[in-house]
Amino acid sequence: MAPIWPIWPISPISPLEKMKCEISKIFALDKKPKRGLLAAEWAMVAYMALTLLLIFFTYTKLHNPESMLWGRLRIAVITLALWAVYRLWPCRLMRFARVAVQMALLSWWYPDTYEFNRMFPNLDHIFAGWEQQLFGCQPAMLFCKALPGPVFSELMDLGYAAYFPMILIVTVFFFLWRYKEFNRAAFIITASFFIYYVIYIALPVAGPQYYYKAIGMEAVERGEFADVGDYFANNSEALESPGWKQGLFYQMVADAHEAGERPTAAFPSSHVGISTILLLLLWRAKARRLLLFLLPFYALLCLSTVYIYAHYAIDVLAGWASALVLFVALGSPYKSPRQSPHRGGGLR
């Protein structure tokens, strides 16, 4: 006997209904709310504890210890307040807010590394010397001279300016389309930042834009790299960024440097390292379309770090190597959630 099929048509879900369903998930209460801190928040707490110990042992040598302590207190209060709100309203949106705030506060933690490493003798002469031995020149000095045109200049500044948008795009992607992996991805990104910050405290390398300015471009051309000692403890003058000064992206990068840049954080390049980790996260999540979309910006970013004097070429190499190590080390405690063939929607 032939099977009996329903004679009425089955109407598919409309795009509007599908959108309402997705929005409702964001505001719906978590079935298993996280009672304690999120992994990304624990990464911040670990870094805060480490730097509080450093402040305790170096208090008399620091330039602004009181403001550093008050800043940490404010961050602790913000973190606890968001945790309390989440406990009252444990939904996905509040979980995202907790992660987003920690990522936004990374811009506060970054210049804080300068307050520590300015206590130690600068090491740029060593790294510039290694650069000279490895390449036989200073790529940062020659790259911008070889391609000075406005089009290439704007492409370089576009790549550099794409750094924070890339972090935002990948974080939002995991929240909306790979929610089961969101906590893991947020932890890897945030913990990687803090590990780079620990390295920057221990390795006071300012980068070409500061070091070249300190010793003079004539000395750089001669391959003479003087030890400047504690020069950067009280000096933060930098070379003007090369390129087309009327360009939109040039102005964006110049304004960002003027607002928050310090003579610190050159080795390894966290721009290269973090952006590499972002692409590795997308590769692991099999988000091929988004990976291919961000790939050109990633390539421009890696090139731009040298082009605009932000990093030595060896900083880029170290950024690639450190990204692989951090991705494996920080991701290993997490088990990969099983994905169904149709999971993830249209951004795969």
Side-chain angles (χ1 to χ4, degrees), residues 45-66 68-69 72 109 112-120 194-204:
V45 170
Y47 182 78
M48 180 185 288
L50 174 63
T51 53
L52 280 173
L53 285 175
L54 289 176
I55 292 173
F56 177 77
F57 286 110
T58 62
Y59 191 88
T60 57
K61 296 181 180 180
L62 293 169
H63 287 68
N64 304 295
E66 293 86 1
M68 296 170 72
L69 289 173
R72 282 160 173 75
W109 289 109
D112 189 75
T113 63
Y114 173 63
E115 298 300 326
F116 290 110
N117 70 28
R118 70 198 297 189
M119 297 186 298
F120 309 121
F194 285 123
I195 291 172
Y196 279 125
Y197 290 170
V198 172
I199 296 173
Y200 298 151
I201 291 173
L203 289 177

Side-chain angles (χ1 to χ4, degrees), residues 38-44 47 96 99-107 109 163-175 178 181-198 200 269-283 285 290 294 322-323 325-334:
L38 302 176
E41 293 169 331
W42 277 117
M44 181 277 296
Y47 182 78
F96 178 80
V99 168
V101 166
Q102 295 304 325
M103 288 189 173
L105 288 171
L106 291 169
S107 62
W109 289 109
Y163 179 54
F164 290 110
M166 285 176 64
I167 297 173
L168 176 62
I169 289 170
V170 172
T171 303
V172 171
F173 165 78
F174 274 96
F175 176 69
R178 297 290 192 278
E181 300 177 59
F182 172 66
N183 198 50
R184 172 186 177 276
F187 168 71
I188 291 176
I189 295 170
T190 309
S192 296
F193 265 106
F194 285 123
I195 291 172
Y196 279 125
Y197 290 170
V198 172
Y200 298 151
S269 170
S270 60
H271 276 67
V272 172
I274 295 296
S275 59
T276 302
I277 289 170
L278 296 177
L279 295 193
L280 289 172
L281 286 169
L282 294 177
W283 167 76
L290 184 55
L294 293 179
S322 60
V325 172
L326 290 175
F327 180 74
V328 173
L330 296 175
S332 58
Y334 283 87

